[in-house]
Amino acid sequence: MSKPAKSNSARSLSGNGTGGINLGPWRLRADWQGSYNVNAGYASRAERRFDWSRFYAFRAIAALHAQLMRGENFFSADIFDSFRYLGARLLSDDNMLPPNLRGYAPEVTGVAKTNAKVTISQQGRVLYQTTVAAGPFRIQDLSSATNGTLDVKIEEQDGSVRTFQVTTASIPYLTRPGQVRYKVALGKPTDFQRRSQGPAFASAEFSWGVNNGWSLYGGSILTGGDYYALALGIGRDLLALGALSFDITQSRAQLPGPGFLILNGRSYRLSYSKRFDEYNSQVTFAGYRFSERNFMSTAQYLDARYGSGNIGNSKELYTISLTRQFISLGLSAYLNYSHQTWWNRPSNDNYSLSLSRYFDLWRFKNASVSLSAYRTLSNGYRDDGFYLSMSIPWGNGITLTYDNQTSRTGTSNMVGYFDRLSDGDSYNLKVGNDEHGQASGSAYYTHDGSLAQMTANASYQDATYRSIGMSLQGGMTATAQGAALHRINLPGGTRMMVDTDGVGGIPIRGYGTTVRTNLFGKAVISDVNSYYRNAISVDVNDLADNVDATRSVVQGTLTEGAIGYRRFGIIAGEKAMATIQLTDGGTPPFGAIVSNDAGNQTGIISDNGSVWLTGIAPGALMNVRWDGKTRCAIRLPEPLPDLTHPLPLQCRPHHDQTNHEVKH
């Protein structure tokens, strides 16, 4: 919610997510996104929008090391551009390959002037949405399946909106010798309102590892005679010199008009990547592409024939990134430059530079200073920005900061106080002046909980605006074994449900996160990896005194989108010495095992029936076993007596355990 100084207040609510059901090997999913906006005033009118942006189903086909997907999808290829379609797709799944053969996930960088909402979308579908604090941000957790042109929107709390595009391209990929990777798709293109656009199409793409150094790749898209595209390329591992690929794409498009307009054109692409270990640097020259005037991608053809009718095609496109670590100076540098031109409109250029250095300042260790600068040239409009930040650790999770931000509208200066709380939560307070020289302040709070991740923020600028906001990100998983709320990593992704035998509050460690089981002893770990053996464990160092873990580690390998189920061995209850006597006056033999109803061992009998018993609860039933058979059972008293003295118990056959028989 925001309140500009000279106009009515405005409220907005937005969200996006994924719902789904797993039926055997099939994963049924539905993506949704919605928004609600209202401006207060005499003629105020709420704007509501809710869309089911995609319905689809997929499954793994282990015999082919591939994934089959049906329904609404976005065309995903390493060679061709993306577009929306309804149909089916079969592709060799990179997640089933070793990590060094998988594609990379594109990253999005920028600078927020205030606490801002960042939305990343593609052809109207929201892929990622988050809030960021004022200053530079770097989003690196996009799906590795994301490719093509991404639309990035930064909505500042002062009401200003900035948009730009990020064009992703695959770095040179090589295929193992003798291995073939492929993608096949059939369907009909559609728009965001699910209206059919154009004739049916068929596409195929492959990559063949010819030998240790060479890979051959190519593909085609064919429609009902109006459009086709053919591509062929080659990749080469240059060993110490890096990796290089080059491909050519030929297109033919027939557009309506007098005599039908037929356009034939070619597009050339060169990609290079190299890691210089001796210099601690990485250079990526990702996707230099030159397209002739008459070349048309499938998305451009669909837009020209069934959309806006614009046939203005791209000319040049390239992105260069450089990462360098200057270890002796403690300096890290990141440089990114992208350039895109069209045949009939102005070019776009994006520059970004980040420098950061850690150092010791007097008694303060690991102080840091960072510099970020950017320049965007789009359609003749120039936007420059400069951000300088310094942080000084003050101890006990406290950090003092200073930020200076300069843009075409002015310069702001802010001093801040950051504190990380004992439960992992953190907050950030800043005060200073905005770019117009007026008093300004902001607050940002982050809560990383077991059930969800929450952020809350507030901003104030004198005589300009006041605003508050909150974001919540989480999910719910329900199975035949139970249900639990939880944090999410990738909506609709792979997860593991764990069971602690009905004992709540048990700390469970995933990959970088710790969650606690709910009242029913269930928890969901959402950061598991597909096609990996995932190990999940109980944090035994954080268990309560009356809880023991007899099985504290579980493992599982899951296919993409699966929901696994594993059970820990947890014993909750008091601990005390006890003596167990049989009905004939004897005692169980030395080494006999005592276990609870869940089958977890609660004690081992020693001489004269003595046992150190765990999991003692009023009225609980425990079994005693020796020689491989369950011989008798004991019923604990209800209520429990004083446990400072050995607890006398009698072991009776199961059919005698209808009442709470105990020996006092």
Side-chain angles (χ1 to χ4, degrees):
M1 183 176 69
S2 63
K3 176 61 174 70
K6 297 181 180 180
S7 62
N8 297 313
S9 63
R11 297 188 301 273
S12 65
L13 177 67
S14 63
N16 67 92
T18 300
I21 301 173
N22 288 1
L23 297 176
W26 283 98
R27 322 296 185 215
L28 281 64
R29 298 290 185 265
D31 298 341
W32 61 270
Q33 59 193 54
S35 62
Y36 173 84
N37 300 284
V38 60
N39 290 316
Y42 176 77
S44 65
R45 185 174 166 183
E47 295 181 0
R48 301 178 179 88
R49 181 173 180 179
F50 182 86
D51 296 304
W52 290 101
S53 57
R54 188 162 66 125
F55 295 95
Y56 57 102
F58 65 92
R59 61 161 297 173
I61 301 181
L64 300 177
H65 296 281
Q67 182 193 84
L68 174 63
M69 179 176 288
R70 302 181 64 181
E72 296 173 312
N73 200 4
F74 285 83
F75 187 77
S76 174
D78 294 306
I79 303 175
F80 303 109
D81 289 345
S82 175
F83 60 91
R84 182 185 175 95
Y85 73 96
L86 173 65
R89 181 190 71 180
L90 178 70
L91 76 159
S92 53
D93 193 344
D94 280 358
N95 288 326
M96 298 183 185
L97 299 175
N100 61 333
L101 293 181
R102 298 184 180 187
Y104 84 114
E107 69 177 17
V108 175
T109 60
V111 176
K113 298 178 181 179
T114 64
N115 297 333
K117 180 170 70 174
V118 179
T119 303
I120 301 172
S121 60
Q122 187 176 55
Q123 297 185 8
R125 182 173 72 98
V126 175
L127 303 177
Y128 187 94
Q129 189 176 80
T130 188
T131 58
V132 298
F137 63 85
R138 196 170 184 177
I139 298 173
Q140 298 176 294
D141 52 350
L142 295 176
S143 169
S144 60
T146 303
N147 59 25
T149 300
L150 306 180
D151 299 305
V152 182
K153 180 168 67 173
I154 304 174
E155 298 177 73
E156 306 284 358
Q157 286 193 329
D158 61 4
S160 63
V161 176
R162 289 180 291 143
T163 61
F164 61 93
Q165 290 186 324
V166 174
T167 302
T168 65
S170 297
I171 60 175
Y173 66 89
L174 300 174
T175 303
R176 286 188 174 189
Q179 186 183 55
V180 176
R181 296 161 60 188
Y182 60 89
K183 298 178 182 179
V184 179
L186 300 168
K188 292 196 70 174
T190 62
D191 61 13
F192 196 72
Q193 285 74 38
R194 297 188 172 86
R195 293 189 296 259
S196 178
Q197 279 192 329
F201 76 93
S203 72
E205 181 181 346
F206 77 95
S207 174
W208 171 40
V210 180
N211 55 35
N212 282 330
W214 293 93
S215 290
L216 182 68
Y217 61 94
S220 66
I221 297 179
L222 304 175
T223 66
D226 293 332
Y227 177 85
Y228 76 79
L230 301 174
L232 186 64
I234 193 166
R236 171 64 179 172
D237 184 358
L238 301 175
L239 302 176
L241 299 179
L244 182 72
S245 68
F246 175 75
D247 57 71
I248 302 175
T249 302
Q250 171 74 50
S251 73
R252 180 187 184 276
Q254 179 175 305
L255 300 176
F260 287 97
L261 178 62
I262 298 178
L263 300 178
N264 289 283
R266 289 180 180 175
S267 180
Y268 307 87
R269 184 177 64 168
L270 177 70
S271 300
Y272 174 77
S273 180
K274 166 63 178 168
R275 167 75 186 178
F276 297 91
D277 291 324
E278 62 272 26
Y279 299 112
N280 297 297
S281 61
Q282 168 82 33
V283 174
T284 301
F285 185 65
Y288 171 78
R289 169 165 278 182
F290 175 83
S291 301
E292 296 175 352
R293 179 183 291 271
N294 289 337
F295 173 80
M296 298 189 76
S297 68
T298 309
Q300 291 169 335
Y301 163 74
L302 293 173
D303 186 53
R305 180 157 188 177
Y306 304 99
S308 65
N310 177 26
I311 59 173
N313 298 338
S314 62
K315 182 179 180 181
E316 281 186 299
L317 168 65
Y318 56 85
T319 299
I320 303 173
S321 65
L322 169 65
T323 303
R324 176 71 191 274
Q325 303 288 334
F326 299 89
I327 297 179
S328 60
L329 300 176
L331 180 67
S332 298
Y334 174 79
L335 175 65
N336 181 270
Y337 170 64
S338 64
H339 174 74
Q340 184 170 15
T341 63
W342 288 266
W343 284 99
N344 61 349
R345 55 189 172 107
S347 63
N348 283 358
D349 291 274
N350 285 281
Y351 308 79
S352 64
L353 170 67
S354 297
L355 300 172
S356 62
R357 185 177 187 273
Y358 286 86
F359 57 93
D360 296 335
L361 180 65
W362 189 38
R363 64 183 183 88
F364 305 110
K365 304 296 183 180
N366 293 322
S368 68
V369 60
S370 64
L371 169 67
S372 297
Y374 68 90
R375 168 173 290 179
T376 300
L377 300 173
S378 177
N379 296 321
Y381 175 80
R382 172 174 160 178
D383 183 20
D384 294 340
F386 174 90
Y387 191 91
L388 175 67
S389 175
M390 176 179 289
S391 66
I392 301 176
W394 204 262
N396 297 322
I398 298 174
T399 302
L400 303 180
T401 63
Y402 167 73
D403 302 323
N404 173 278
Q405 187 169 183
T406 302
S407 66
R408 60 191 300 270
T409 56
T411 300
S412 65
N413 294 275
M414 305 289 286
V415 294
Y417 178 91
F418 174 87
D419 191 6
R420 187 174 299 279
L421 306 179
S422 58
D423 59 357
D425 292 1
S426 63
Y427 65 91
N428 191 357
L429 304 175
K430 292 185 177 182
V431 295
N433 68 275
D434 65 11
E435 55 195 9
H436 304 294
Q438 298 175 339
S440 176
S442 68
Y444 196 87
Y445 185 91
T446 300
H447 170 68
D448 288 324
S450 297
L451 305 183
Q453 183 182 58
M454 185 198 77
T455 65
N457 62 81
S459 295
Y460 168 81
Q461 286 190 351
D462 187 31
T464 305
Y465 74 92
R466 300 187 302 273
S467 69
I468 58 174
M470 185 182 75
S471 69
L472 188 67
Q473 187 180 54
M476 184 183 76
T477 297
T479 70
Q481 287 77 26
L485 299 174
H486 56 86
R487 295 176 56 180
I488 60 172
N489 184 18
L490 179 66
T494 311
R495 65 201 69 178
M496 180 80 76
M497 176 176 283
V498 295
D499 192 334
T500 54
D501 291 330
V503 182
I506 302 299
I508 308 296
R509 290 188 297 191
Y511 292 87
T513 61
T514 298
V515 301
R516 291 187 180 271
T517 55
N518 59 22
L519 293 175
F520 307 100
K522 303 295 190 298
V524 172
I525 306 298
S526 59
D527 55 357
V528 299
N529 296 309
S530 305
Y531 308 105
Y532 273 94
R533 179 168 293 277
N534 296 277
I536 301 171
S537 61
V538 174
D539 187 355
V540 295
N541 296 321
D542 195 26
L543 287 176
D545 292 338
N546 64 340
V547 177
D548 288 299
T550 60
R551 185 170 64 257
S552 60
V553 179
V554 295
Q555 295 182 339
T557 303
L558 305 175
T559 59
E560 184 178 352
I563 302 173
Y565 175 78
R566 296 294 184 272
R567 193 166 187 164
F568 290 105
I570 300 296
I571 301 174
E574 302 297 329
K575 305 173 185 179
M577 287 298 300
T579 57
I580 299 178
Q581 190 177 55
L582 302 176
T583 55
D584 61 3
T587 60
F590 181 89
I593 295 174
V594 183
S595 59
N596 59 16
D597 279 345
N600 298 317
Q601 180 177 305
T602 57
I604 300 178
I605 296 177
S606 59
D607 295 327
N608 301 319
S610 297
V611 60
W612 174 253
L613 202 61
T614 61
I616 298 175
L621 184 68
M622 295 187 181
N623 299 313
V624 181
R625 178 169 51 91
W626 67 86
D627 292 339
K629 295 182 180 180
T630 299
R631 303 293 181 171
C632 57
I634 57 176
R635 177 79 67 175
L636 297 176
E638 188 176 10
L640 293 174
D642 181 11
L643 297 180
T644 58
H645 302 286
L647 180 65
L649 302 170
Q650 192 169 62
C651 196
R652 293 176 174 271
H654 279 278
H655 61 270
D656 289 341
Q657 295 297 331
T658 56
N659 299 308
H660 293 186
E661 291 111 343
V662 295
K663 179 180 178 182
H664 294 283

